[in-house]
Amino acid sequence: MSGHLAVIGLGPGDARYLTPEADAALAAADALYGYGPYLDRVPARPGQSRHASDNREERPRAAAALHHAAQGARAAVVSGGDPGVFAMAAAVCEEIEWGPESWRALDVSIVPGITAMLAVAARIGAPLGHDFCALSLSDNLKPWELIERRLDAAAGAGFVIALYNPVSRARPWQLGTAFERLRRHLPASTPVIFGRAVGRADERVAVGTLDVAATMPADMATLIIVGSRETRVIARAGRLPLVYTPRAVAEVNA
Ligand code: SAH
């Protein structure tokens, strides 16, 4: 079987954040599959078809691309950021595991991209300079109770926490509840970073503290980094502060 499926990370923003490997993989594809706004970031190429689908249609999109690849095409699925972080690579693997045996013979490549938490962290210093974890706040694919348990465990263990999918129209209260939950473990003064649309023209980065975090604007294009007890803020006149988590932890205070 000559079919090929690439799962390609576009990075967080415009073409500056696309790796040369991802660019080459996009150029080599016969057909592109993805959420419409992500496909819009990829320049049109003659002879290449495009198949846009809704954001929530991840499994059917993966299956459609696999079917196409199984017919001998070079199909590609695009994701924002990195395709392995809350994105299409896992959906493709799931379809391969449960789909027709023949899909296991396909040539599959996952092409990494810069994930949102790294892009946001780079804008503000080094908040992920020591141990950290990433959590999706979306309870579309897991129970809210599990999210609360993971927030407790992560904050209780002293991890810096990157929050993906912090809010959507269908999930208006979860972020405020998450901040309240984190307050059980962390001081009011804990730094919280909001990075919106980083790498795009409408990028916005703001720094606050955990006690006021719920009043700061956040939407679906925002990635939030909640510091640990070690995270420090260096104020700078006329500029955003530098926020960093030192590489050494002297004592167990989690
Ligand atoms: N695969 C993507 C994440 C998909 S989940 C990645 O690796 O980045 C979608 C969430 O990612 C959004 O709700 C937001 O929290 C975050 N995100 C994606 N692009 C972003 C950007 N340019 N700036 C800030 N956050 C972003």
Side-chain angles (χ1 to χ4, degrees):
M1 188 179 292
S2 61
H4 181 268
L5 181 69
V7 191
I8 304 171
L10 300 179
D14 60 38
R16 285 174 300 160
Y17 299 91
L18 190 72
T19 67
E21 184 193 19
D23 198 31
L26 289 168
D30 303 319
L32 297 184
Y33 288 79
Y35 174 46
Y38 293 149
L39 284 179
D40 292 344
R41 288 200 217 156
V42 183
R45 288 185 172 86
Q48 190 175 63
S49 65
R50 283 167 179 250
H51 310 264
S53 44
D54 188 75
N55 206 8
R56 295 233 188 154
E57 300 276 293
E58 295 186 339
R59 295 266 317 246
R61 179 191 307 144
L66 282 157
H67 273 295
H68 204 157
Q71 289 161 7
R74 293 188 70 84
V77 180
V78 299
S79 260
D82 181 87
V85 178
F86 307 122
M88 285 306 296
V92 166
C93 290
E94 242 174 288
E95 286 304 309
I96 293 173
E97 180 172 11
W98 304 108
E101 189 68 27
S102 59
W103 286 358
R104 297 183 184 214
L106 288 170
D107 185 13
V108 175
S109 53
I110 316 288
V111 182
I114 298 172
T115 189
M117 70 175 173
L118 301 185
V120 172
R123 281 290 184 275
I124 199 73
L128 308 179
H130 199 70
D131 299 344
F132 64 89
C133 66
L135 230 92
S136 169
L137 267 201
S138 170
D139 55 357
N140 290 335
L141 299 171
K142 63 189 170 193
W144 178 253
E145 294 71 33
L146 180 61
I147 296 173
E148 291 198 329
R149 208 192 309 160
R150 289 184 176 170
L151 288 168
D152 287 342
F159 287 107
V160 170
I161 305 170
L163 296 174
Y164 285 77
N165 296 310
V167 255
S168 73
R169 243 165 291 150
R171 296 181 290 107
W173 55 265
Q174 282 83 342
L175 180 60
T177 307
F179 285 137
E180 269 173 38
R181 194 88 193 177
L182 292 170
R183 280 284 286 123
R184 295 184 185 184
H185 307 273
L186 294 166
S189 60
T190 304
V192 181
I193 300 152
F194 291 73
R196 183 184 182 282
V198 167
R200 303 180 212 153
D202 51 343
E203 168 176 324
R204 217 167 47 222
V205 179
V207 180
T209 47
L210 192 51
D211 55 343
V212 298
T215 67
M216 297 179 67
D219 63 11
M220 271 168 66
T222 307
L223 182 287
I224 297 171
I225 298 177
V226 180
S228 70
R229 286 171 189 272
E230 277 81 35
T231 304
R232 306 185 60 77
V233 178
I234 307 171
R236 298 190 299 171
R239 292 174 184 270
L240 280 173
L242 277 175
V243 183
Y244 79 107
T245 306
R247 292 169 303 144
V249 184
E251 56 191 43
V252 180
N253 60 359

